[in-house]
Amino acid sequence: MCIHVVKFCLLMMLLIISINGQAKEKLIWVTDDKMELENYFNDVETSIGTDTTKLVVKSLLKFYDIDIQLAQLPRTDRLLTSLPNLCTSNRIKTKARQKENLFSSPVNLFLSTRLYFLYETRFNQGVDLFQSLINENGELISLQLLFDTFPELVLGLSKGRSFGSALDKQLSNIAQENLIYRGGRGRYKALVNMLLKKRIEFILKFPTEAKRELDINVEKYQVSSLAIVGNDQFILGHIACSQSELGQRVIKQSNEILHKLYRQPVFYQAHSRYLSTMDLINFNRFYQQVYQVKPPVSLKANNNVNY
């Protein structure tokens, strides 16, 4: 009797050791932002894209051995179609990308891209050079009209980046001599520096990015911006994974995590802390529209979510 009990106990111990010893599946997670790479596994508040994604990645760590790597957007496009265990975040869902990638529910919401430029680009001795290009709502009528009127001016863009279908379509109609692309590490900062040093006249930025990258220079350089007619009111970022069995599983788990997060103040605050009071009015409306819940603004709510 005792021998059987001992054998049973040994068998159970071996089973437990075997289960605990099973290695988690490796999941490669790529980002094109060095700052994001450095802050994925700490509590540093970085940006909407990083802070919202971290909430999901933190929960996925229970299921996967996640290896965060730096990869620029063109390389990310290639890796998503060549590796079965790769995901990325803050990816805009387009028809072309949907043919090759699997997409989650929205992981973040960005207010619409704006066109940023130096004050002197628009105003010359008090004369508004853009007057005929602006509608009654103070919006730029179109990018094409801007460059048809000023063919000598240049817009700086990040290579491989999408700004949503509406703006991407406008950009496709711009002559190549009016566009300059930057890739590689630090390209976002490089484009801002090019603008401030007057090597280019325009850049496209989400308001939260501009707040982070331009605020310290606004007074010195007098940076202005314009909304663009026909542009989406907001842009949604998604988690995208390879079209594989693992990719399907990660997307399913991410969606379960996200639909719980939508109701949590910690998720709302991962957006709201980067927005101005004025921007929050529209953001709250879009939040309810996209996530189908009222914005969980209460600071007293429980932020400790278990998944």
Side-chain angles (χ1 to χ4, degrees):
M1 182 72 174
C2 290
I3 294 175
H4 290 302
V5 172
V6 171
K7 286 183 177 180
F8 177 78
C9 291
L10 287 172
L11 182 62
M12 291 301 294
M13 288 176 65
L14 289 172
L15 181 62
I16 292 170
I17 292 172
S18 175
I19 293 173
N20 290 336
Q22 286 180 355
K24 295 178 182 178
E25 288 182 276
K26 183 175 181 179
L27 177 63
I28 301 172
W29 198 284
V30 296
T31 175
D32 67 328
D33 190 330
K34 186 178 180 182
M35 186 182 297
E36 189 171 280
L37 178 73
E38 294 170 349
N39 293 322
Y40 252 127
F41 296 122
N42 59 39
D43 295 326
V44 176
E45 295 174 356
T46 308
S47 66
I48 289 178
T50 303
D51 295 3
T52 51
T53 300
K54 280 197 297 189
L55 294 171
V56 180
V57 170
K58 183 179 178 181
S59 295
L60 290 175
L61 281 170
K62 293 191 297 185
F63 309 107
Y64 305 100
D65 175 16
I66 300 179
D67 179 18
I68 309 289
Q69 297 183 13
L70 193 66
Q72 304 310 320
L73 291 174
R75 183 164 177 257
T76 297
D77 291 338
R78 295 193 298 270
L79 291 174
L80 278 167
T81 58
S82 60
L83 294 179
N85 63 333
L86 188 132
C87 294
T88 187
S89 189
N90 309 320
R91 194 162 175 83
I92 294 175
K93 185 163 60 173
T94 65
K95 289 182 179 179
R97 287 174 173 177
Q98 283 183 278
K99 294 177 182 178
E100 299 180 331
N101 307 156
L102 299 174
F103 284 88
S104 71
S105 299
V107 68
N108 40 51
L109 188 164
F110 296 90
L111 295 182
S112 181
T113 315
R114 296 177 67 89
L115 184 73
Y116 288 84
F117 50 90
L118 298 182
Y119 179 86
E120 63 191 71
T121 301
R122 177 175 175 178
F123 295 95
N124 183 10
Q125 296 182 344
V127 177
D128 185 356
L129 303 178
F130 293 179
Q131 186 174 1
S132 62
L133 312 177
I134 309 298
N135 68 9
E136 62 275 12
N137 297 318
E139 302 168 310
L140 180 68
I141 294 172
S142 76
L143 289 172
Q144 186 171 356
L145 179 60
L146 172 65
F147 290 107
D148 284 347
T149 307
F150 299 101
E152 73 280 8
L153 303 185
V154 176
L155 168 66
L157 297 171
S158 175
K159 188 177 181 180
R161 188 176 195 182
S162 171
F163 292 98
S165 57
L167 208 53
D168 286 350
K169 186 175 182 180
Q170 288 200 40
L171 288 169
S172 69
N173 294 321
I174 306 301
Q176 286 303 303
E177 53 263 33
N178 295 121
L179 303 175
I180 186 169
Y181 295 91
R182 283 291 175 267
R185 296 184 182 184
R187 65 189 181 282
Y188 298 120
K189 185 176 180 180
L191 286 168
V192 170
N193 287 335
M194 289 175 71
L195 175 72
L196 300 180
K197 293 178 180 179
K198 304 178 185 179
R199 294 176 182 171
I200 56 177
E201 284 74 37
F202 305 103
I203 56 175
L204 287 169
K205 286 285 179 185
F206 294 107
T208 52
E209 292 178 331
K211 189 175 188 301
R212 180 180 71 180
E213 298 169 9
L214 288 170
D215 262 7
I216 57 173
N217 297 303
V218 165
E219 291 186 6
K220 180 179 178 181
Y221 291 97
Q222 290 189 295
V223 179
S224 302
S225 70
L226 284 171
I228 304 168
V229 171
N231 195 11
D232 301 312
Q233 290 183 305
F234 56 84
I235 296 293
L236 300 177
H238 302 260
I239 292 168
C241 295
S242 310
Q243 287 189 345
S244 64
E245 184 180 339
L246 176 61
Q248 290 177 342
R249 197 159 63 249
V250 174
I251 292 298
K252 182 176 183 296
Q253 291 165 325
S254 296
N255 285 342
E256 291 172 354
I257 294 165
L258 283 166
H259 285 274
K260 292 178 181 178
L261 280 170
Y262 294 161
R263 300 178 180 277
Q264 293 297 321
V266 66
F267 182 77
Y268 173 82
Q269 291 156 16
H271 293 83
S272 63
R273 58 174 161 257
Y274 299 104
L275 297 169
S276 68
T277 303
M278 185 177 296
D279 284 338
L280 278 174
I281 297 172
N282 283 328
F283 174 76
N284 287 341
R285 179 162 55 89
F286 298 147
Y287 191 101
Q288 186 164 348
Q289 178 182 331
V290 171
Y291 299 129
Q292 296 296 298
V293 297
K294 289 184 178 180
V297 297
S298 173
L299 295 174
K300 296 180 180 179
N302 180 19
N303 290 351
N304 298 316
V305 189
N306 296 313
Y307 303 110

